[in-house]
Amino acid sequence: MQQRLNPIVSFPFILCLGLLILNDFYLKTTYHNHVTGKLSDLCGLFIFPIFWSVLLPRYRSAIFIATALFFVYWKSTYSQPFIDFFSETFFVIERTVDLTDLFVLPVLFAAWISLNKNQQRSEHSLWQKRTNPYIIGAIAIFSFYSTSKPRYTQRFDQPQYVLLKSNKLIDIIDYEHLQYYRFDSLLVVKIEELDLSKQPIKYDDYNKNDAIKNLDYSVSLMIGNGVQLVKPGTITYLNIRTPEGVDSVRFNGGRLDGKFIRKKDGRVVITGLYKKGIEDSVWTFQNNNGKFSSKVTFVNGERTKKQLFENESVIKTDYVNTREDVARYKLIQIAILILLCIVIAFLLIKNYRQVAEKLQMKKLWKWILCIVLPLVVWCIHFAITLLLGDYYYDIFVVFGTAILTYLITCPLFFVAVFGIQLRKQIDLLWYTLLFALAFSIWIEIDIYLELAV
């Protein structure tokens, strides 16, 4: 058995596994280019067939062939119906259609050679003997999902430009969601969306403002050598012709700073104001007839009010919670959960004091309850998170929370059932609710601390 697991603890496998995780969680976001785009495919194609061949050694030839065929299918447009179905039915996955990724297919031959070489090896180095193959295997499974997990992105409702100095010819294919407009030695880059290093606690304007603090610097890193930052204090006025219209903008250094006007067919359609790259004051949007269609009020880059117009009259006004408002409401939610916890704890203490006799229950049933009820605790906790609006979880967070809930509450049920011992059957319900509320309070406090930063 140990010899069969040799390929998993080999240096090439662990190296590729480490590079795959590093690339997916850091390099892709920080240095979004051809190298980082191909690195995940290269490392993933190396470790994927080796991993499954170790588990199913009798089918390793079929595994390698199936891996090659599936990779071709996955990178083609033909896989889109499957991805749409899977994302709607189970959880969201993504991939980028790029046929140049098929150039990494020869790495399968290197994987095949490495697999055969390590399965035949009988001697191991000291670090390989001390490496647990089961832990490496678990990390490998995690990496397979992380490669196709949905990207965390920040999209921009209002136009977002940065100004750079560059004499370099830009290949538009190299950078998705970027558009380029050259003015002699100046390069204006329009950003439609930005990859984030981690999932935001909430998709709001506060998160957007945080993501674009150093937007000109981030874009310069994405484009690479040959571009330079414009020094702060350098004022530049430009008219940028885009498919949406002509944008009149003012830059301070490399960031938008000042009045923004968009004209289309000679008519003003958008007016607004930027301060250090973020929206401020009142933004107005007009239709093709030159009449107001909407107004949006910003305070320090966060929307506070939205108005819809019809025939120059306001027909709807919505007030938007800022991050400070959300944090305050979260604190109120935590206070309510704590109050419910206190009530349930009071009911448990009351039952314990009023009923002297212990609830008679077979030992087998006690064990079953202690093993099953933690799952019920997680279901109640998940329902609470949905009720409170904390629905920004991806599938990994859901699974991770489920495992953590089980590991924490299972021993607590053993203490309650075998140690404290029950007085009434309803105490099972009270303990289940108490643990679910306590766990939810812990999670909500963590969310509040992130919101209040």
Side-chain angles (χ1 to χ4, degrees), residues 14 47 51 74 82 103 129 141 151 180 195 201 222 250 261 281 317 326 332 335 342 351 359 386 398 417 444 447:
I14 294 177
I47 67 174
F51 175 83
W74 182 256
F82 166 77
F103 288 121
K129 292 178 181 179
I141 293 175
R151 294 179 304 161
Y180 307 94
D195 289 344
I201 191 66
M222 293 168 61
R250 177 184 184 271
I261 300 175
S281 190
T317 299
V326 174
I332 295 173
I342 294 173
N351 289 344
L359 182 65
L386 294 177
V398 172
V417 174
E444 294 303 311
I447 293 174

Side-chain angles (χ1 to χ4, degrees), residues 408-419:
I408 292 176
T409 57
C410 188
L412 293 177
F413 273 111
F414 275 98
V415 172
V417 174
F418 288 95

Side-chain angles (χ1 to χ4, degrees), residues 16-46:
C16 288
L17 177 60
L19 286 174
L20 177 61
I21 294 176
L22 177 65
N23 191 56
D24 285 338
F25 287 93
Y26 176 71
L27 297 179
K28 271 186 179 180
T29 304
T30 307
Y31 309 102
H32 185 66
N33 52 41
H34 274 313
V35 175
T36 58
K38 298 293 185 291
L39 187 58
S40 288
D41 295 326
L42 189 73
C43 295
L45 267 184
F46 184 88

